[in-house]
Amino acid sequence: MFSLFKKDPSRKLQKMYESTLEKAMFAQRNGDIKAYSSLSVDAAKLAEQIQQIKDEKKI
């Protein structure tokens, strides 16, 4: 009944994922390939965490 009031942890991760991708895009545009690659790896890790949370909800 009170699950309506619980915050969804995947929303916070989704926002972090989107902001990390945006930072990576700007780093790539500025020619900072090292920062772009590290931010891309971080974004991929966040995407995996989001997918795990979604998979757990299905079960």
Side-chain angles (χ1 to χ4, degrees):
M1 177 179 174
F2 291 105
S3 65
L4 291 172
F5 302 111
K6 291 183 181 178
K7 293 192 176 194
D8 187 13
S10 65
R11 284 187 183 179
K12 183 178 178 182
L13 288 175
Q14 184 68 32
K15 287 181 181 180
M16 289 174 54
Y17 172 73
E18 290 172 2
S19 68
T20 304
L21 281 180
E22 186 176 0
K23 289 177 187 176
M25 178 190 64
F26 286 123
Q28 185 182 27
R29 284 184 180 177
N30 291 331
D32 191 1
I33 302 303
K34 288 183 182 181
Y36 166 73
S37 61
S38 67
L39 288 168
S40 295
V41 169
D42 293 342
K45 289 178 185 177
L46 287 171
E48 288 177 11
Q49 290 176 355
I50 293 168
Q51 189 61 40
Q52 287 176 352
I53 290 172
K54 288 182 179 181
D55 290 342
E56 288 174 1
K57 285 183 180 181
K58 289 181 182 178
I59 294 176

